[in-house]
Amino acid sequence: MDICCGYFRGNFYLREIGSPTKPFLPVGNVSSFNVNHDITEVSQEDFTSLGGTACKISYINEVTLNMTLNCLKIRNIALAFQGTGENGNIEAGSIEDAEYTVIALGALIPLAFIPEKGTVVVTDEAGTTTYVNGVDYQVTSAGIIPLVGGAITAAQAILVSYDYGVGSIVEALTTGQKVFELIFDGVNSGEEGEQEVVFRAWRVKFSPAAAVDLITAGEFASLEVVGTVLKDDTKTGAGKSKFYNFESRDLA
């Protein structure tokens, strides 16, 4: 069935190339998806007359996929950061008597993990004086801040103990670019009824995000990623694309 009015919605799935046992995992909400063709044009001027073109050829030099990922899943962040990480890769644990030197009052002392704020205990170096949260220091997600006017003084050593829960972390720039198979499982609601459509790209090599806007004015954070569609020589047969295809179903 021809598509005269296209209004597409659906789900995207990615599977890392390299193992047939790897699953197609959902990407989550995607607010923008574009297929872009980099076109090369070669033309020959018509020299038999003043003006005109005698020959011209255009061909697709490269295909890229632009995606706006609105779900900041751990694997999506890892894709954008060209990093490694997975859900729950930080196990719950405790830190006992980690020693820090107070450089300046009112300045952040970063901790190794996001603390469970109610478990934080701060003492002097000898462990004989326990300081009071909200009076001598403030606890944040990133660490503690010794407060001006409290009992903690600049240049002194302190001990910090705390518990931390299960979490996830992405370590950026820790891996090379990966190649994925991409599937869009969607519907076209622009026609009468809902027409089923599927877009498949066999091998997509994603570049790290050029920019990641974690704070935006009046908008949710998102990830902009670009993938180059590579040739897949395993796709054989007359008329079969080695790059991508688009399938639609006739409405009943």
Side-chain angles (χ1 to χ4, degrees), residues 102-229:
V102 179
I103 304 299
L105 299 179
L108 177 71
I109 297 176
L111 302 179
F113 299 95
I114 298 175
E116 293 184 354
K117 294 181 174 60
T119 68
V120 174
V121 176
V122 180
T123 70
D124 62 1
E125 186 176 16
T128 56
T129 300
T130 300
Y131 299 111
V132 179
N133 183 17
V135 175
D136 302 316
Y137 65 91
Q138 175 186 348
V139 181
T140 75
S141 297
I144 65 168
I145 300 174
L147 298 176
V148 176
I152 299 174
T153 59
Q156 82 167 90
I158 58 173
L159 303 178
V160 182
S161 300
Y162 61 95
D163 297 334
Y164 57 90
V166 174
S168 305
I169 190 169
V170 174
E171 299 289 352
L173 306 181
T174 54
T175 184
Q177 290 176 263
K178 296 180 179 180
V179 180
F180 295 85
E181 185 175 353
L182 177 145
I183 292 179
F184 171 62
D185 180 6
V187 296
N188 173 30
S189 299
E191 308 284 353
E192 292 185 8
E194 289 194 334
Q195 180 185 20
E196 295 171 309
V197 296
V198 174
F199 176 92
R200 307 177 185 88
W202 317 125
R203 300 180 69 237
V204 183
K205 191 171 188 178
F206 284 98
S207 300
V212 178
D213 297 325
L214 293 181
I215 297 179
T216 57
E219 297 181 1
F220 290 102
S222 62
L223 303 170
E224 305 278 349
V225 295
V226 178
T228 299
V229 180

Side-chain angles (χ1 to χ4, degrees), residues 11-15 24-27 67 181-185:
N11 297 298
F12 286 86
Y13 298 87
L14 290 176
R15 177 172 70 180
F24 278 102
L25 296 175
V27 173
M67 302 178 69
E181 185 175 353
L182 177 145
I183 292 179
F184 171 62
D185 180 6

